[in-house]
């Protein structure tokens, strides 16, 4: 019998369920809870408790023991799933059975997507036949998509077959086995040993879990507590499917006298009325607050400061406070901050295994194996100069550095002989022999054995222990080394098991392949450096808050894309396709499910507070406040967002770091010096930067250094190199002398540069096919088809080269780009029909690899220009140059000032073209329009688009540019000035309002920090 208890958001059925469970005999009942925390809590009450996985395992065991010989099936890891699916895809591809996915099948990202899709299909409980039937009845599919469906069905069938043949199961496989065994047991009239089962803490069950519950309810009593209120569909969307399914056979039970959690009036109002159709706003009390801070660091500090004050004043116990975030990985620094403030916290102190020096040590050993010549020497240098070598080999790394700096080795044996001679390090001699014996190819198992043996040989834990006792390394360093050694050894044991079921486990691989496999397997592992303190404040993810209760709850990170956090479902089937599949009986999760889950998590976070709830956020250029903030504000008539600053005066500091910061801010350098040598110097650095003091203004001194910088800059300039200096000399120094690049955020969407390059490539191919042709409206359909085909080919080329990731984002973006190109074509035809200008060349390179030297003699110095002119058009003997822009085109008032590209390209084209270059301009792809076109006055009116003929100086005064000589004179003035300043070593930063976005120097010039300080110092400025 199945009993369903629908639990409103302000009720807590924990005690009621505990009481019911305790009325049964211990061995005849199980309380199944959604999280380990809830399982643990129930066990503390003397109740037999388990999670769903453990229940499924127990079901399988009980059933198989009664039906036949005990089933021996093994669970495989996600890595093993990936490897198995990789094998299947490789085989299908070899047999020519993957024409749709063919090119993608070897890509890592694709394998992961397939694994996740297989899990999602598996969780629906669908068999291979059911999937094939559903696909066969899917109307309106194009032939290409039908092929995709066939391939997915085939992969799924092969995958399930493989699992069955090898007696292994994946995540959903366990539930499938349990459901099948349970069905067979029921048919055979058997029974389980339990009389009653209680499910709590779940807000939804997947299809296979629901099957297990239904079958169990036919042989024992099953009670389920489900958070659900029929009148609030917006709040309980995540539970809707489960509720509907359970109600097909459950008895809906009335809640008895369960405890309605006691909350302040405001908190009660939130819990009762969030997303309620009948909500009426009320005045807020002190139970709810919303804080806005300037950045993430301030956000965490402000919260921890307040907690520290409360703990110090003993107004609350640590265990009465919870700090809640949506995703723990976004707040990895909070544990360290808690330590700084001396706040005990119920969270492990952990570190990523791949970031550990011990992991680097192991991979560095292996990396020396597969290289040759100078590259091999460089790996050895990197390996022997790791700081860890002072401990492991007791090697004086300074001596190694000196040798490497004074000699250019191309033979690693010579380098190692010299190191041995200079240092006499016997450990190195032994290690060298061991490393030389590592085979270039071996099975994964063999490499794991070798790596494990080498790691054991280093005796790292013993050496670290000795150094810690001698006070030479910190406790954290000691723990990191010991834990990392232990985890790596465990990983080396486990890795062969993952590979056991796949082809690459049976074949040999090279050492580089093994290093990649090791890094991949270690990717998500972390080291536990300090166990959690059970008496501390709770630091929790909103995902794990079922039935949690605290006097005070801080919910951090309430900003767009963070909370709510929507993850895109697997791109192989988009949301529209998922909706179709749900109708066909395959309910795969969709983004809409994500919305429903997220609001449930937010409600849990709010409901966890009984006395005070503080919601915090910060905003930046990219993300605003979370929409949940607006929802909470709308519940009250007078609730306001408070702007909170975590900055403190020295006397109010609550941690050493706060004290140091406060002293630095107030310029108390003497006190700082006593506190920490070296801190006073760095504390004053920003002040010096602001005052442009020598050494802090970006201007290197010394003739020798300037000479070296000048050599590094060289004589070859591109327009963007010159424009960089013009916009900010310090950025120029960091980019072209220090050779630093702006860090790009990794993501599925294509970066704008890559997108621009793709469009350029498409237009290049298209225009090259139509040089000197007049395009006409009558040809539009044909030309559009051609442009489309070129676009598809170039997209495929980019995907093959790994320059774009063909995920969901790109599928959407791709269609946008297609539309943009079609609009460009219309506009191109219109320009063609209005005038005589026809393209005569595309992507014309100058000044590169001996192509068309462009030398400029400016103030006695010769420099060379290089670049590529996107397109040159001709009308008679006159030429007009064009630069495509996928973003914004520079404004005409920047011409020959910060926009140097157009005038320099005009000059370069004039030096290279026999006819007369009369002008040039930008072609905005996003607006499908020619823009900001310069033209010498005699030719004005010969082009059918808007032009200008003057340049403005720094004061905004416009001067006519009548001929190429005028343009040259203007450019000579600007370039001469720049070259002079470069020669003098003037590299001061010149901040502007949008300069920090792509600048590789932003963290060094501290533009963001300094600008903020300045604003604070001079609010009117
Ligand atoms: S952030 Fe701005 S001021 Fe700083 S180096 Fe970059 S461009 Fe220059």
């Amino acid at each position: 019998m199945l009993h369903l208890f629908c639990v409103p958001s302000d009720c807590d059925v924990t005690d009621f369920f505990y009481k019911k469970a305790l009325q049964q005999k211990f061995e005849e009942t199980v309380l199944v809870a959604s999280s380990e925390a809830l399982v643990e809590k129930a066990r503390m009450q003397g109740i037999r408790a388990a999670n769903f996985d453990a229940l499924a395992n127990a079901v399988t065991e009980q059933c198989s023991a009664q039906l036949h010989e005990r089933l021996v099936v093994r669970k495989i890891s996600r890595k093993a799933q990936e490897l198995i699916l990789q094998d299947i895809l490789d085989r299908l591809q070899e047999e020519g059975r993957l024409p749709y996915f063919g090119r993608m099948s070897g890509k890592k990202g694709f394998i992961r997507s397939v694994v996740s899709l297989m899990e999602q299909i598996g969780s629906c409980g669908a068999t291979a036949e059911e999937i094939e039937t559903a696909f066969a009845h899917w109307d309106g599919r194009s032939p290409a998509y039908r092929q995709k469906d066939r391939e997915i069905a085939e992969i799924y069938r092969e995958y399930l077959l493989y699992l069955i043949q090898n007696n292994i199961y994946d995540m959903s496989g366990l539930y499938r086995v349990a459901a099948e065994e349970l069905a067979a047991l029921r048919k055979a009239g058997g029974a389980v040993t339990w009389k009653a089962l209680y499910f709590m803490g779940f807000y939804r069950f997947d299809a296979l879990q629901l099957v297990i519950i239904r079958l169990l309810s036919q042989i024992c009593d099953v009670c389920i507590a489900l958070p659900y209120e029929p009148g609030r569909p917006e709040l309980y969307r995540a539970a809707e499917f489960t509720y509907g399914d359970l109600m097909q056979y459950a008895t809906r039970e009335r809640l008895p006298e369960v405890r309605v959690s006691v909350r302040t009036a405001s908190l009660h109002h939130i819990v009762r009325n969030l997303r309620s159709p009948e909500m009426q706003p009320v005045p807020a009390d002190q139970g709810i607050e919303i804080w806005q801070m300037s950045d993430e660091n301030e956000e965490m500090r402000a919260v921890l400061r307040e907690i520290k004050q409360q703990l110090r004043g003993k107004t609350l116990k640590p265990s009465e406070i919870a700090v809640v975030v949506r995703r723990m990985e976004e707040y990895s620094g909070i544990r360290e901050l808690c330590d700084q403030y001396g706040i005990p916290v119920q969270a492990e102190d952990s570190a990523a295994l791949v970031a550990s020096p011990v992991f680097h040590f192991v991979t560095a050993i292996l990396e020396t194996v597969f290289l040759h010549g100078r590259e091999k020497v460089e790996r050895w240098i990197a390996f022997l100069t790791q700081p860890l070598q002072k401990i492991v080999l007791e090697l004086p790394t300074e001596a190694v550095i000196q040798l490497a700096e004074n000699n250019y080795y191309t033979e690693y044996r010579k380098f190692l002989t010299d190191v041995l001679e200079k240092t006499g390090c016997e450990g190195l001699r032994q290690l060298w022999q061991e490393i030389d014996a590592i085979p270039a190819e071996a099975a994964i198992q063999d490499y794991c054995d070798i790596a494990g043996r080498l790691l054991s040989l280093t005796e790292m834990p013993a050496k670290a222990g000795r150094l810690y006792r001698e006070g030479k390394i910190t406790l954290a360093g000691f723990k990191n080394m010991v834990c990392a050694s232990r985890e790596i050894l465990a990983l080396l044991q486990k890795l062969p098991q993952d590979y056991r079921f796949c082809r690459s486990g049976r074949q040999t691989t090279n050492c580089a392949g093994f290093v990649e496999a090791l890094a991949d397997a270690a990717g998500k592992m972390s080291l536990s450096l300090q166990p959690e303190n059970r008496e501390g404040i709770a630091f929790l993810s909103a995902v794990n808050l079922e039935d949690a209760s605290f006097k005070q709850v801080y919910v951090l990170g309430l900003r767009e894309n963070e909370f709510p956090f929507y993850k895109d479902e697997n791109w192989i089937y988009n949301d529209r396709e998922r909706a179709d599949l749900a109708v066909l009986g395959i309910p795969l999760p969709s983004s809409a499910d994500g919305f429903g889950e997220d609001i449930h998590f937010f409600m849990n976070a709010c409901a966890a507070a009984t006395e005070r709830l503080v919601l915090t956020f910060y905003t930046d250029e990219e993300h605003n406040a979370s929409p949940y903030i607006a929802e909470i504000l709308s519940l009250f008539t007078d609730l306001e967002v408070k702007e909170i600053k975590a900055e403190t005066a020295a006397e109010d500091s609550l941690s050493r770091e706060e004290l140091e910061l406060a002293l630095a801010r107030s310029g108390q350098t003497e006190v700082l010096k006593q506190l920490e040598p070296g801190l006073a110097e760095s504390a004053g650095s920003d002040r010096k930067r602001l005052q442009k003091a020598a050494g802090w203004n970006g201007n290197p001194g010394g003739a020798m250094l300037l000479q070296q910088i000048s050599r590094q800059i060289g004589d070859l300039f591109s327009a963007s190199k010159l424009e960089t200096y013009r916009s900010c000399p310090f950025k120029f120094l960091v980019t072209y002398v220090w050779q630093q690049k702006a860090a790009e955020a990794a993501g599925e969407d294509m970066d704008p540069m890559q997108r621009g390059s793709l469009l350029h490539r498409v237009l290049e191919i298209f225009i090259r096919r139509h040089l000197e042709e007049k395009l006409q409206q009558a040809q539009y359909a044909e030309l559009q088809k051609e442009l489309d085909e070129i676009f598809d080919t170039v997209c495929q080329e980019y995907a093959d080269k790994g320059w774009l990731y063909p995920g969901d984002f790109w599928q959407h973006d791709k269609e946008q780009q297609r539309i943009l190109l079609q609009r460009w074509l219309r506009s191109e035809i219109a320009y063609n029909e209005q005038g005589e200008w026809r393209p005569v060349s595309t992507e014309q390179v100058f000044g590169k690899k001996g192509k068309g030297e462009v030398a400029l003699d400016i103030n006695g110095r010769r420099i060379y220009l290089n670049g590529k002119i996107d397109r040159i058009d001709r009308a008679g003997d006159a030429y007009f140059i064009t630069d495509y822009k996928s973003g914004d085109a520079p404004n005409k008032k920047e011409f020959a000032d910060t926009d140097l590209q157009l005038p320099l390209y005009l000059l370069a084209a004039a030096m290279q073209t026999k006819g007369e270059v009369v002008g040039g301009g930008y072609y905005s792809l996003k607006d499908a329009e020619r823009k900001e076109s310069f033209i010498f006055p005699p030719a004005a009116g010969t082009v059918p688009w808007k032009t200008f003929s003057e340049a403005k100086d720094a004061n905004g005064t416009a001067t006519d540019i009548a001929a190429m000589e005028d343009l040259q004179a203007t450019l000579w003035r600007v370039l001469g000035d720049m070259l002079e300043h470069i020669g003098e070593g003037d590299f001061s930063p010149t901040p502007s309002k949008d300069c920090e976005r792509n600048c590789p120097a932003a963290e060094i010039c501290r533009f963001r920090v300094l600008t903020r300080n300045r604003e604070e110092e001079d609010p009117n400025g």
Side-chain angles (χ1 to χ4, degrees), residues 727-731 989-992 995-996 999-1003 1005-1007:
S727 67
C728 176
F730 189 64
K731 182 176 176 182
T990 51
S992 64
C995 68
E996 59 185 307
C999 182
E1003 296 300 325
C1005 80
R1006 292 172 62 81
F1007 156 77

Side-chain angles (χ1 to χ4, degrees), residues 361 386-397 458-468 472-473 477-478 481:
F361 183 88
Q386 287 187 350
L388 210 56
Q389 296 292 17
K390 288 198 169 162
I391 300 171
V392 178
L393 292 178
E394 293 173 19
L395 188 70
T397 50
T458 61
E459 296 175 342
M460 223 176 282
K463 286 178 181 165
R466 201 182 61 235
L467 289 171
Y468 173 60
K472 292 184 180 156
I473 58 172
F478 165 71
M481 284 174 67

Side-chain angles (χ1 to χ4, degrees), residues 114-284:
V114 172
V115 172
S116 115
L117 182 65
M118 294 298 117
E119 273 175 7
Q120 291 177 348
I121 297 178
S123 300
C124 302
T127 61
E129 291 70 32
E130 283 165 346
I131 288 291
E132 278 159 15
T133 312
F135 285 163
H137 289 90
W138 196 347
D139 292 333
R141 299 290 278 168
S142 69
Y145 282 172
R146 282 207 178 283
Q147 181 59 34
K148 172 171 88 169
D149 302 340
R150 266 194 295 278
E151 290 176 21
I152 288 297
E154 188 153 12
I155 296 167
Y156 186 58
R157 174 181 284 281
E158 295 277 338
Y159 177 60
L160 288 188
L161 193 68
Y162 189 94
L163 298 186
I164 292 164
Q165 283 173 348
N166 289 279
N167 276 343
I168 49 182
Y169 63 81
D170 59 5
M171 306 292 175
S172 52
L174 169 62
Y175 294 159
R176 199 168 31 241
V177 173
E180 282 165 10
E181 291 288 292
L182 209 44
L185 181 77
R186 235 202 115 244
K187 208 165 160 197
V192 287
T193 53
W194 312 303
K195 294 240 169 0
L197 295 170
Y198 299 92
F199 290 79
M200 57 176 286
F202 295 90
Y203 61 91
R204 59 180 286 274
F205 297 104
D206 67 32
L208 278 171
Q209 290 174 325
L210 286 166
V211 172
I212 295 172
I213 289 173
R214 191 176 64 225
L215 290 165
L216 282 169
S217 73
Q218 290 164 359
I219 40 184
C220 69
D221 247 1
V222 174
C223 296
I224 297 178
L226 186 75
Y228 191 74
E229 290 171 76
R232 295 168 80 181
E234 285 295 309
L235 190 61
Y236 292 101
R237 209 191 284 174
E240 199 73 56
F241 175 78
T242 296
Y243 173 77
D245 188 278
L246 291 174
M247 279 311 289
Q248 290 175 38
Y249 51 95
T251 310
R252 169 107 187 246
E253 304 286 352
R254 275 171 57 84
L255 273 181
E257 287 296 297
V258 297
R259 173 162 64 96
V260 174
S261 307
V262 183
R263 297 183 175 86
T264 67
S266 287
L267 294 176
H268 183 72
H269 179 63
I270 292 174
V271 171
R272 283 304 325 143
N273 293 296
L274 182 70
R275 297 212 173 166
S276 166
E278 275 106 46
M279 187 279 290
Q280 291 291 331
V282 299

